[in-house]
Every structure is written in structure tokens, then in C-alpha cells.
Amino acid sequence: MNENLFASFAAPSMMGLPIVVLIVMFPSILFPTPSRLINNRLISIQQWLIQLTSKQMLAIHNQKGRTWALMLMSLILFISSTNLLGLLPHSFTPTTQLSMNLGMAIPLWAGAVITGFRYKTKASLAHFLPQGTPLPLIPMLVVIETISLFIQPMALAVRLTANITAGHLLIHLIGGATLALINISATTAFITFIILILLTILEFAVALIQAYVFTLLVSLYLHDNT
């Protein structure tokens, strides 16, 4: 197996032109828009899941925080559909690119922080200095809290990238091992194939969980600043 393990994570191109933008826009086509008075089962299930997720995610928010509901629901739908489409053979997963995840995390984090400094200035500044801090530790804690604040978008992006990339690499390695073992030991190859199926099912769960975690953390950052 001399192929590059990371070749599948390279940005695809067609006739020398990058097609990442088309891939990023593709998931939006998969969600049907209700156009009838009585919806079919697929749209009904879709609306029920969106309402359930939004109700759970927005329960902790005040009226100002709930104005972000459309953005949060769009975010979780986009990340989950992109992650699931990336599990198809010979497909490209945009969420394995750290640059794209940072492009989602930094504006959302910055919007939440700027909202906090605008509407809750005292409370936002109070996060930099916990109550009851000894006087000699004040400069150190301010520096630590500032660093932890600026690390938040990086942590969001790295968490999503690492989990999706690790799952794809495991599927690639175990799939290659299964093919290599077919001519050596059919029993071992069958066991490896069963492991591959279980890992694929796990990756379906991870794809949805990571979308939920990413959106939930953005929601919590927003809650702290509204």
C-alpha cells in the first residue's frame, strides 16, 4: 500500500479549477422545501427534528439570544450533512479542512464576543478576573483568561477537524487491510470487514455528534454574551 493516506483530504479540482465551492453548496440541495399544505413524511420528519433540536438548544437563551436560531439551525444542518456526505466512497469532506472550520468558527465566536462587549460590557470584562482573586495573581489571571478566550475558536475548529479526519483515516486503513487480507486469510479478512462495518456505523454517529457539539459550543458562547 504505497498510496498517500492523506490524498483523499486534498481539495478536489476539475480541469484545473477548484470545485470546493460547489461541494460546499451541494448539501443545501438535499433538504426539500415544503411547498404543499400537507407535507409528506420526509419533510415532516425533517421539520420535527429541526424543531426538537432548536427547542433543546435555545432553551437556555433569552429573547436576544433566540434571534440567532436560524443561524444555529443552518449551521448544524450544514455540518451534519457535509460530514455524512463525506462518508460516501470517493467523496470529499470539507470539514476535514482546518481552514474551512476556522472560517466557520472565528466569525461565529467573534460575533458572540462582540455582542457581549456591546450589550454586557461589565459582565464580559468580569470574565477576565474571577471574583476574590488575590492581588498578586491579577496580572497572571488576566493574561490566562485572555489566552483562553482567543483559543476558543481554534478549539472549535481543531476538534471538528481532528475527529472527522481520524475517522476517515481509520476507515481507509481498515478497508485497505481487509482487501490485503482476502488472499491471505479469509477468516481474518471477514473479522476485519465486520470491524469496518461497525466503525462506519460509529462514524455516522460521530458525524452527527460533532455537528451538534460544534453548534452547541457556539450556542454556549452566545449564551455567555447575551
Side-chain angles (χ1 to χ4, degrees):
M1 296 174 61
N2 296 323
E3 59 181 313
N4 186 2
L5 290 177
F6 296 93
S8 59
F9 302 115
S13 59
M14 182 180 295
M15 301 177 63
L17 299 175
I19 57 173
V20 176
V21 176
L22 295 177
I23 296 174
V24 169
M25 294 173 61
F26 180 71
S28 61
I29 306 174
L30 301 179
F31 295 102
T33 303
S35 58
R36 299 179 181 178
L37 183 62
I38 300 177
N39 298 325
N40 57 29
R41 290 186 179 89
L42 179 61
I43 296 180
S44 298
I45 293 173
Q46 174 186 314
Q47 292 180 340
W48 175 75
L49 288 174
I50 291 174
Q51 290 175 0
L52 181 65
T53 307
S54 61
K55 185 182 296 184
Q56 182 180 3
M57 196 165 293
L58 299 174
I60 60 175
H61 288 281
N62 55 20
Q63 194 64 32
K64 190 181 296 296
R66 290 179 181 178
T67 58
W68 288 52
L70 180 60
M71 186 278 298
L72 292 175
M73 290 301 102
S74 301
L75 181 65
I76 191 171
L77 286 173
F78 170 73
I79 297 177
S80 58
S81 58
T82 304
N83 290 346
L84 290 175
L85 287 174
L87 293 174
L88 296 175
H90 304 289
S91 60
F92 173 72
T93 313
T95 47
T96 57
Q97 306 296 311
L98 183 60
S99 57
M100 175 178 166
N101 295 336
L102 282 173
M104 292 190 295
I106 291 177
L108 294 171
W109 166 84
V113 172
I114 292 172
T115 301
F117 278 107
R118 181 178 179 182
Y119 296 105
K120 296 174 61 178
T121 307
K122 292 183 178 179
S124 298
L125 292 174
H127 287 298
F128 292 96
L129 189 62
Q131 187 176 4
T133 304
L135 191 61
L137 296 178
I138 289 179
M140 183 184 300
L141 281 179
V142 170
V143 172
I144 292 174
E145 291 297 328
T146 304
I147 293 173
S148 67
L149 177 66
F150 283 98
I151 281 178
Q152 287 177 354
M154 180 65 72
L156 272 177
V158 170
R159 180 187 294 108
L160 179 59
T161 304
N163 281 282
I164 301 302
T165 303
H168 282 55
L169 284 175
L170 279 175
I171 290 177
H172 182 84
L173 289 171
I174 296 178
T178 304
L179 291 175
L181 289 170
I182 289 178
N183 297 325
I184 301 174
S185 173
T187 304
T188 308
F190 178 75
I191 295 173
T192 311
F193 180 69
I194 296 297
I195 296 174
L196 179 62
I197 293 176
L198 295 176
L199 181 62
T200 304
I201 296 172
L202 178 63
E203 279 305 303
F204 272 97
V206 169
L208 297 175
I209 290 171
Q210 288 304 314
Y212 179 77
V213 169
F214 189 98
T215 311
L216 180 62
L217 289 175
V218 172
S219 175
L220 292 176
Y221 296 156
L222 179 64
H223 175 257
D224 292 338
N225 290 280
T226 54

